[in-house]
Amino acid sequence: MKNRMKKKVTRTRNSTADATGEGAPGKAVLTGMRRALLAWYDRERRRLPWREQPSAYRTVVSEFMLQQTQVATVLPYFEKFMSTFPDFASLARSTEHDVLAAWSGLGYYRRARMLKGAAEEIVRSHGAEVPTDPAALLRLPGFGDYTTAAVGSIVHGLALAAVDGNVRRVIARLFEFDDGKGRNGRARNTDKSTASHAQALLSTRRSGDWNQAMMELGATVCTPKRPACGRGPLRRWCRAPAAGRAEELPRPQSAPR
């Protein structure tokens, strides 16, 4: 009995077994995953203008532009927008017509209006500085949970996990999340589980880099089709490839009845 108990504890500490159930990975596993992903990000990340010349303003603009839009499409618009509106103050005092003109071609024009509204509020209520309080960030126009976490972590190092489509896919494959059911067959809130696991994985020491690394992994390696699992920095911990389910996951969630 004692030997069986010892074996069980050893297996839990050295695998992602906890994370595929209802708990989070053990400390040793988390440390290994964080080191591997951040080292990969430092080495392989795409050199993007908002990363190479970072500022709070450039981060906010890039996050709004990247919503539902690919990086390659955003790049020329980002540079044009920066030259026209170089800071929060210039964007806040601009006309909506001028902002929409600079945004023309990117689509989803509500994002441009929300971005201008956020700039106005940042200038009016926060002295043209991005607030550090997550609650204050959430009150800005266009700031939901994802944008608050992304901007807050990148700009201020807030320990908030940003979960977009790329991150959902990485976590679904890493922990072999299925269609809303746990291994015991009971229904599970997949969005809640994903957010919980994303927060547990987060490197609080480099939260902004970690969030960008997770998104980068989903965008360039752990892609929806034909993922390059052999190049994945988290491959030793990832369950989906071993189960032959990498392309299958995440499954589309069923609509509520």
Side-chain angles (χ1 to χ4, degrees):
M1 180 69 170
K2 189 178 291 185
N3 288 339
R4 284 199 300 271
M5 290 292 290
K6 183 177 181 181
K7 184 177 181 181
K8 183 177 181 181
V9 171
T10 301
R11 183 172 63 249
T12 299
R13 286 178 179 172
N14 293 281
S15 71
T16 54
D18 284 356
T20 56
E22 298 303 324
K27 184 176 180 180
V29 172
L30 281 173
T31 298
M33 294 170 78
R34 288 166 179 164
R35 286 176 177 170
L37 184 61
L38 288 170
W40 171 83
Y41 178 71
D42 289 341
R43 183 177 65 250
E44 302 291 342
R45 68 179 186 176
R46 290 171 291 181
R47 269 42 188 180
L48 303 174
W50 47 88
R51 291 177 181 168
E52 299 309 296
Q53 296 177 289
S55 73
Y57 177 67
R58 290 165 75 85
T59 296
V60 170
V61 173
S62 67
E63 287 299 332
F64 272 76
M65 286 189 168
L66 288 166
Q67 293 169 14
Q68 298 178 289
T69 307
Q70 294 184 348
V71 167
T73 301
V74 165
L75 286 172
Y77 288 94
F78 180 82
E79 298 293 3
K80 175 185 175 184
F81 203 88
M82 286 297 107
S83 63
T84 306
F85 310 110
D87 50 33
F88 285 120
S90 59
L91 181 56
R93 64 173 176 262
S94 66
T95 66
E96 182 177 293
H97 177 273
D98 288 341
V99 173
L100 294 180
W103 197 275
S104 181
L106 266 179
Y108 301 101
Y109 290 95
R110 184 173 180 273
R111 294 179 299 170
R113 295 185 177 95
M114 288 293 185
L115 175 58
K116 174 172 165 52
E120 291 171 351
E121 182 63 19
I122 288 170
V123 170
R124 179 171 55 247
S125 301
H126 303 285
E129 300 288 339
V130 172
T132 59
D133 179 12
L137 284 170
L138 271 171
R139 288 194 293 269
L140 295 174
F143 275 68
D145 290 340
Y146 164 77
T147 304
T148 293
V151 171
S153 65
I154 295 169
V155 175
H156 295 305
L158 300 183
L160 301 171
V163 180
D164 69 350
N166 286 315
V167 175
R168 286 190 185 93
R169 185 167 57 256
V170 169
I171 290 177
R173 291 170 177 174
L174 187 61
F175 300 119
E176 203 183 343
F177 278 179
D178 210 320
D179 54 352
K181 293 183 179 179
R183 292 198 163 202
N184 57 13
R186 290 181 299 185
R188 169 170 72 186
N189 185 326
T190 306
D191 284 344
K192 185 176 180 180
S193 295
T194 299
S196 174
H197 281 72
Q199 190 64 40
L201 289 174
L202 181 71
S203 169
T204 56
R205 185 174 60 87
R206 294 179 60 186
S207 56
D209 285 343
W210 177 267
N211 280 331
Q212 292 182 89
M214 287 287 282
M215 290 183 272
E216 188 83 344
L217 179 60
T220 63
V221 176
C222 191
T223 50
K225 301 296 182 184
R226 295 184 292 279
C229 298
R231 294 194 292 110
L234 301 180
R235 59 188 177 275
R236 66 175 287 196
W237 298 282
C238 192
R239 286 185 167 268
R245 306 185 67 197
E247 285 202 53
E248 175 187 338
L249 297 174
R251 292 187 186 183
Q253 293 189 40
S254 300
R257 294 183 179 181

